[in-house]
Amino acid sequence: MLKLVVLALCLAYAYSCGVPAVQPILSRVVGGIDVRPNSWPWQISLQYQGTSGAWGHTCGGTLISDNWVLTAAHCISSGRVYRVVVGKHNLKEEEEGSAAISPEKIIVHENWNSFFILLSNDIALIKLSEPVQLSHSVQPACLPSNGALLAQDFPCYVTGWGRLYTNGPIADNLQQALLPVVDHATCSKSDWWGFQVRTTMVCAGGDGIVSGCNGDSGGPLNCQAAGGAWEVHGVVSFGSGISCNYEKKPTVFTRVSAYIDWINNKIISN
């Protein structure tokens, strides 16, 4: 019963998890494109306060209930002040329906290892200080079933405000890009990511054209389930240090389905 609690949280709302009121445009484009506004309503901007007092985007994340957000452990630094911004399309404009909410608690995986060669458990949860108001622009994503694996070339979409290209500017408008899944057998080959890719990760992309980039970290790998609802199967973790879109170096995500018990346990106990 308890292990199903997170999935049940989504279904309790008038706005069902993973079913956006505004449907995304799913064209098979080369390179990222501006999303249709509010078509990925679980995407959040994780922002931190600089020394001047101004807020800046640092990572993405996924709303998974009205008061919990999923992101990457490497997005969290002790001593920084964070806020979660929901309902955003353009980061520079004031937008109706958006809101900035401070965290009540940030939970980084207790076995998070930040050493690149041994990188593991790159996942964190943020409990919001108050529930968000669900609307057409703010909805939670669904979580995948425990242990679920996606087949080679399964079509998923990465979303975020990351750099538009290697060393380029951060995007103003939320971007989406089609990233087909690369199975573990392929991604762990020596000329791909080799031993650096663990079974608790999922790879997507690697064609040398489309990828996640700096600033997309923590954001979702959105994959549509058979029933039509969107599930967050990955949390953007790392990519190539040579360039964002390096061939055979797909974007690597923390595989959410490997952490369903961890997510449930943290939510129940907090």
Side-chain angles (χ1 to χ4, degrees), residues 93-107:
E93 296 179 358
E94 293 291 329
E95 294 173 322
E96 185 178 355
S98 68
I101 306 165
S102 60
E104 177 183 311
K105 182 178 292 188
I106 299 177
I107 304 169

Side-chain angles (χ1 to χ4, degrees), residues 107-224:
I107 304 169
V108 173
H109 197 287
E110 53 273 16
N111 293 321
W112 153 237
N113 189 328
S114 61
F115 185 58
F116 185 67
I117 300 300
L118 301 174
L119 188 72
S120 58
N121 302 307
D122 189 9
I123 191 168
L125 283 165
I126 301 173
K127 184 179 183 181
L128 302 179
S129 58
E130 59 183 279
V132 298
Q133 181 73 40
L134 298 183
S135 66
H136 76 285
S137 60
V138 182
Q139 297 173 235
C142 297
L143 294 176
S145 59
N146 195 359
L149 297 175
L150 297 174
Q152 174 79 5
D153 291 328
F154 191 96
C156 296
Y157 289 80
V158 64
T159 50
W161 289 277
R163 296 189 185 279
L164 295 172
Y165 49 86
T166 304
N167 298 321
I170 292 288
D172 291 337
N173 293 329
L174 184 63
Q175 302 287 298
Q176 70 178 53
L178 174 67
L179 288 188
V181 168
V182 179
D183 64 19
H184 183 74
T186 301
C187 200
S188 59
K189 288 181 178 179
S190 59
D191 57 336
W192 287 65
W193 276 113
F195 67 90
Q196 290 174 254
V197 172
R198 300 167 180 269
T199 56
T200 54
M201 301 172 181
V202 59
C203 303
D207 62 0
I209 301 170
V210 183
S211 72
C213 203
N214 308 85
D216 289 326
S217 288
L221 182 66
N222 304 281
C223 309
Q224 196 167 27

